[in-house]
């Protein structure tokens, strides 16, 4: 219910703002909202050639392409004059995101189709893990811990192994693998859910822990910083780990208190201490490497582990081939069957993702997001907060809505202020400290047709806020 109302609020308020802006004269056309593409220039006016100043008129007539560009800001095109059908079209500024119709197309072509491919492959592997018995062994091994965190899940339930693989993939920055494992976990948890349209406690706990985004190897962030010529692209890795770890602990505590989890359990304490020790140990190892060594380590660790998971799955399936024979199938046929289920899951979640991304597109292109972010930046600046921090806030604000959008702001902030600036580094930490809340809710709850998300959305947004505050303190401490 909360998600539905929030979605309606974004949609309706954006449409009202767009229409008001058009009739108030603040916008010349709303076509860009429907058909425009990200970074396209925005049409702001149209005049006859004779109505323009003489120097502009002469420049346009002499130009081979009948176009004149005035750049007062070297980073953004200030005004572009284009002669078209006896009139001069004047463009200024850039579009923040794709319009409604391109968003519909790109959601299918650039997001859902690749996601279906990932789902098909990894769901095929998971089918092998199930039939070979590997997932059951993993679930049995981790049951003592998971039954404390998820008391409603029976011991040795298959969902335990799926959640473990999802957490591990997120931990190592393997986004393409994390989503299929997570969707399989949600499907497995849905089998235990007595109210099929209402999120269970276990599903909420899993999704909040997943969305907290605990990451050890921020491969993509390091890549963006390297492309922006950062002196040490991996210098944000430790702040990213600390921020995401605190976010994960916050998610566990908030949901745990709501669900009355026993925090004094010895197994939980042991796992938490082991996890902290592992993170500290790995950080100490990475810290003694030189720049080339850090880049080499961070760029290869995640890939090697993913290859290892694939190799283990196939080898274990080959060793346990008799189990496939007993199930009246073969290793390859089982893989194909699992892949087919992955394709069906991808088709199921498409409408949920589409609805959310179209609303976000309207929200950004309407100008409402920019107004709200400017207000917040103004509020913080009046509180005496460093301008380098307020300049990074658009990344933090957009992160819950759109990973691609916040990534655009990240790249823009590094290009504008420098990759090694406080703003550039803080933006990087914001980007890797949590998942895109609304996308995650749409995909995961949509995959099992959950309509009542209960307190999941509020908790995830609160965790996002914790991550933002933590990122600011950590960045100020480190840089």
């Amino acid at each position: 219910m909360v998600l539905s109302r929030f979605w309606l609020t974004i949609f309706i308020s954006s449409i009202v703002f767009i229409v008001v802006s058009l009739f108030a004269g603040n916008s010349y056309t709303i076509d860009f909202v429907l058909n425009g593409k990200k970074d396209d220039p925005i049409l702001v006016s149209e005049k006859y050639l004779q109505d323009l100043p003489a120097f502009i008129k002469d420049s346009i007539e002499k130009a081979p392409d009948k176009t004149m560009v005035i750049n007062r800001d070297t980073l953004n095109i200030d005004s572009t004059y284009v002669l078209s059908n006896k009139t001069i079209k004047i463009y200024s500024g850039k579009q923040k995101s794709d319009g409604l119709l391109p968003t519909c197309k790109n959601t299918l072509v650039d997001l859902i189709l690749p996601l279906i491919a990932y789902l098909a492959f990894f769901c095929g592997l998971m089918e092998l893990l199930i039939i070979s018995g590997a997932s059951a062994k993993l679930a049995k091994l981790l049951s003592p811990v998971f039954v404390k965190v998820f008391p409603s899940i029976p011991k040795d339930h298959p969902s335990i192994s799926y959640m473990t693989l999802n957490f591990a993939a997120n931990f190592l920055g393997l986004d393409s693998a994390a989503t299929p494992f997570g969707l399989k976990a949600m499907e497995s948890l849905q089998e235990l859910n007595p109210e099929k349209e209402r999120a269970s406690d276990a599903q909420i706990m899993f999704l909040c822990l997943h969305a907290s985004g605990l990451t050890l190897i921020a491969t993509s962030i390091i890549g963006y910083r390297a492309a922006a010529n950062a002196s040490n692209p991996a210098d944000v890795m430790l702040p990213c780990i600390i921020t995401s770890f605190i976010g994960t602990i916050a998610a566990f505590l908030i949901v745990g208190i709501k669900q009355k989890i026993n925090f004094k359990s010895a197994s939980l304490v042991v796992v938490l201490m082991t996890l902290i020790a592992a993170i500290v140990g790995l950080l100490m190892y990475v810290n003694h490497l030189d720049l080339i060594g850090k880049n080499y380590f961070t760029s290869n660790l995640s890939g090697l582990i993913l290859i290892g998971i694939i190799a283990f799955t196939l080898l274990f399936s080959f060793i346990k081939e008799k189990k496939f024979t007993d199930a009246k199938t073969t290793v390859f046929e089982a893989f194909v069957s699992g892949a087919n289920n992955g394709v069906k899951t991808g088709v199921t979640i498409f409408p949920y993702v589409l609805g959310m991304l179209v609303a976000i597109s309207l929200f950004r292109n309407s100008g409402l997001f920019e107004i709200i972010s400017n207000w917040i930046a103004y509020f913080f600046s009046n509180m005496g907060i460093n301008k380098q921090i307020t300049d990074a806030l658009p990344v933090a604000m957009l992160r819950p809505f759109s990973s691609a959008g916040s990534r655009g702001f990240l790249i823009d902030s590094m290009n504008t202020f420098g990759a090694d600036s406080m703003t550039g580094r803080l933006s990087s930490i914001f980007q890797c400290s949590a998942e895109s809340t609304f996308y995650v809710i749409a995909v995961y709850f949509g995959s099992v047709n959950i309509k009542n998300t209960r307190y999941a959305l509020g908790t995830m947004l609160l965790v996002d806020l914790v991550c933002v505050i933590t990122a600011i303190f950590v960045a100020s401490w480190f840089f």
Side-chain angles (χ1 to χ4, degrees), residues 459-478:
T459 301
M460 291 164 71
L461 291 176
L462 182 57
V463 172
D464 288 336
L465 178 61
V466 170
C467 288
V468 169
I469 295 172
T470 302
I472 293 172
F473 280 105
V474 170
S476 301
W477 178 30
F478 275 84

Side-chain angles (χ1 to χ4, degrees), residues 333-469:
E333 288 173 348
F335 173 84
V336 171
S337 175
N340 187 49
N341 291 331
V343 171
K344 293 177 181 177
T345 300
V347 173
T348 299
I349 65 177
F350 171 56
Y352 294 89
V353 177
L354 177 66
M356 189 58 66
L357 293 185
V358 167
I360 292 170
S361 168
L362 284 175
F363 183 48
R364 292 197 65 201
N365 287 325
S366 69
L368 265 179
F369 175 82
E370 192 170 1
I371 291 174
I372 294 172
S373 63
N374 288 339
W375 282 350
I376 293 176
Y378 177 77
F379 173 76
F380 280 113
S381 63
N382 284 341
M383 291 176 60
I385 295 176
N386 192 321
K387 186 176 184 301
Q388 290 183 307
I389 294 176
T390 60
D391 286 336
L393 286 178
V395 178
M397 289 186 59
L398 195 57
R399 183 65 173 134
F401 295 95
S402 168
S403 175
S406 61
R407 182 170 61 245
F409 274 115
L410 164 63
I411 295 171
D412 180 68
S413 70
M414 290 193 291
N415 291 337
T416 304
F417 304 102
D420 292 325
S421 65
M422 175 65 172
T423 299
R425 285 171 166 144
L426 180 57
S427 297
S428 299
I429 300 170
F430 283 150
Q431 181 68 14
C432 73
S433 60
E435 288 283 354
S436 302
T437 297
F438 292 97
Y439 171 79
V440 168
I441 283 185
V443 169
Y444 283 79
F445 282 133
S447 68
V448 290
N449 296 314
I450 292 289
K451 294 181 174 58
N452 183 358
T453 61
R454 298 171 65 196
Y455 51 87
L457 176 60
T459 301
M460 291 164 71
L461 291 176
L462 182 57
V463 172
D464 288 336
L465 178 61
V466 170
C467 288
V468 169
I469 295 172

Side-chain angles (χ1 to χ4, degrees), residues 10 12-13 36 48 63 82 98 107 185 190 319 338 357 366 374 452:
I10 291 177
I12 295 173
S13 60
Y48 292 107
V82 180
D98 288 332
T107 299
Q190 183 71 347
I319 294 170
L357 293 185
S366 69
N374 288 339
N452 183 358

